[in-house]
Amino acid sequence: VSGVDERTYTEMILGVVREGAPVVRNGTPAQQARFPELRARWNLLRGGTLRGIYPPVFPYVAAPIYHFGGLRAVIRFNVALLCALALGCYALGRRFLNDPWWGVAAAYVTLLATPVWGLSVQVSSYALAITLITWAAYFALGALRAPPARVRAVAATAGLVGAVAASTHIFTAPMLLALFAVLGLAAGERGERFTEADGDKRYVLE
């Protein structure tokens, strides 16, 4: 553990493992109220326990992994997420630009030109959050191109994955709002119409 962020996430993970919630018990409530030194930075004192200020999804996801392999297993999980991130970037680039080579380029740029590599070898929610928001963008774009019968299901999937991303790391919340705002404008401006092709109904953007 090399910094305040990692320490806080580690405390939250240990809290889930030991208490079932991302909390820390450091003395009695009276002692914590009397001695500020017992209150670790970036924790909130609530009901006699210290609660990490970060969103709770990552500690709950990491807790069973920690149970079987400790912090090393959590870091290995983060590194493994890079595979899911690369696949998401590839799928997003291919779907957005209709060219698999652009998908490959998107995956390379994301992995090589962003801090995701460095943060994946830390006890951090960054790798999970960026992977989730990437797949949320993929499903959101898919909702614009899906046939009518699947539009709601794909859009709901995009919203669900995006919500989990925002509950994993707060920095994805502005990304999520911007993503849906742009897609909403795109859908409104282009309009929707049905066409018949080979006897099948298809959803087309003008």
Side-chain angles (χ1 to χ4, degrees), residues 19-43:
E19 306 280 347
V23 300
V24 176
R25 300 187 184 277
N26 191 26
T28 66
Q31 290 172 333
Q32 291 176 342
R34 181 178 178 183
F35 303 107
E37 294 81 4
L38 296 177
R39 307 174 207 165
R41 287 183 60 194
W42 294 20
N43 281 268

Side-chain angles (χ1 to χ4, degrees), residues 59-86:
Y60 279 105
V61 170
I65 300 170
Y66 175 89
H67 182 75
F68 289 105
L71 292 180
R72 287 188 178 183
V74 174
I75 293 173
R76 288 170 181 166
F77 167 75
N78 279 344
V79 173
L81 282 173
L82 297 182
C83 297
L85 175 60

Side-chain angles (χ1 to χ4, degrees), residues 145-201:
R145 300 183 176 185
R150 297 184 55 204
V151 170
R152 290 186 178 180
V154 179
T157 301
L160 177 62
V161 176
V164 176
S167 299
T168 301
H169 200 300
I170 193 64
F171 83 86
T172 60
M175 298 181 189
L176 185 64
L177 293 175
L179 171 66
F180 289 138
V182 170
L183 292 176
L185 290 173
E189 290 177 358
R190 294 179 181 181
E192 305 174 2
R193 68 183 175 91
F194 296 101
T195 62
E196 295 288 341
D198 298 328
D200 296 327
K201 289 186 176 180

Side-chain angles (χ1 to χ4, degrees), residues 111-135:
L111 294 180
L112 299 179
T114 66
V116 67
W117 271 109
L119 291 173
S120 68
V121 294
Q122 298 180 7
V123 184
S124 169
S125 65
Y126 183 86
L128 178 60
I130 198 67
T131 299
L132 289 171
I133 198 65
T134 298
W135 280 103

Side-chain angles (χ1 to χ4, degrees), residues 7-19:
R7 188 219 67 203
T8 303
Y9 276 122
T10 300
E11 290 173 346
M12 295 174 73
I13 293 169
L14 290 174
V16 174
V17 172
R18 297 170 181 172
E19 306 280 347

